[in-house]
Amino acid sequence: MRILHTMLRVGNLGRSIKFYTEILGMKLLRQHDYLEGRFTLAFVGYGDEVNHTVLELTHNWDTEKYNIGDGFGHVAIAVDNAAKACDEIRKQGGNVVREVGPMKHGTTVIAFVEDPDGYKIELIERK
């Protein structure tokens, strides 16, 4: 068994695809409109779905905004240099909500950014 994807509901699909592809460097893997259901699914990730876990962005056409539940935490992405990643994200209009530094009660270097819908993305610096 392995995790295939995590689904996030998004209010503006184009804005979200732009964030995940242009700012975080993922690729749009596939996208399909479900006319009768009035929703679109778009899958983004750093590699193909056969070998990698990806994100499913679900856009319900009649919903512009969602409340992020108290139980949701974040999506984590490994980076070589968290400070450089945050600088690049800022340059492209992304929102850094926790500056680079060691995690609380630990030494792992992390930062947090927010996607256009307010979902937290943790950047974890790999040695």
Side-chain angles (χ1 to χ4, degrees):
M1 287 188 234
R2 72 176 185 86
I3 296 173
L4 299 176
H5 64 262
T6 295
M7 185 270 272
L8 300 174
R9 288 184 173 89
V10 300
N12 180 310
L13 187 60
R15 179 183 68 189
S16 293
I17 289 172
K18 182 176 180 176
F19 174 81
Y20 284 100
T21 59
E22 294 180 17
I23 294 178
L24 294 185
M26 294 182 186
K27 293 180 177 146
L28 176 61
L29 303 171
R30 62 187 169 103
Q31 180 175 333
H32 184 74
D33 294 330
Y34 293 84
L35 300 177
E36 288 186 26
R38 298 188 51 74
F39 68 95
T40 302
L41 300 182
F43 290 80
V44 295
Y46 292 111
D48 65 77
E49 294 176 73
V50 173
N51 298 304
H52 298 86
T53 301
V54 301
L55 292 177
E56 173 188 332
L57 305 177
T58 298
H59 177 241
N60 293 297
W61 300 350
D62 301 317
T63 305
E64 292 182 19
K65 185 171 174 30
Y66 290 93
N67 295 320
I68 298 173
D70 292 341
F72 178 79
H74 61 268
V75 173
I77 296 174
V79 297
D80 291 331
N81 182 315
K84 183 177 177 184
C86 284
D87 288 344
E88 289 299 315
I89 288 167
R90 264 193 212 92
K91 284 180 191 173
Q92 297 182 62
N95 185 21
V96 177
V97 295
R98 195 263 199 201
E99 293 298 329
V100 176
M103 65 179 268
K104 201 181 252 187
H105 311 295
T107 59
T108 302
V109 175
I110 64 171
F112 278 89
V113 300
E114 216 171 51
D115 85 351
D117 289 281
Y119 292 110
K120 301 286 189 288
I121 311 294
E122 181 181 21
L123 306 176
I124 301 176
E125 189 170 284
R126 296 290 183 197
K127 297 177 183 180

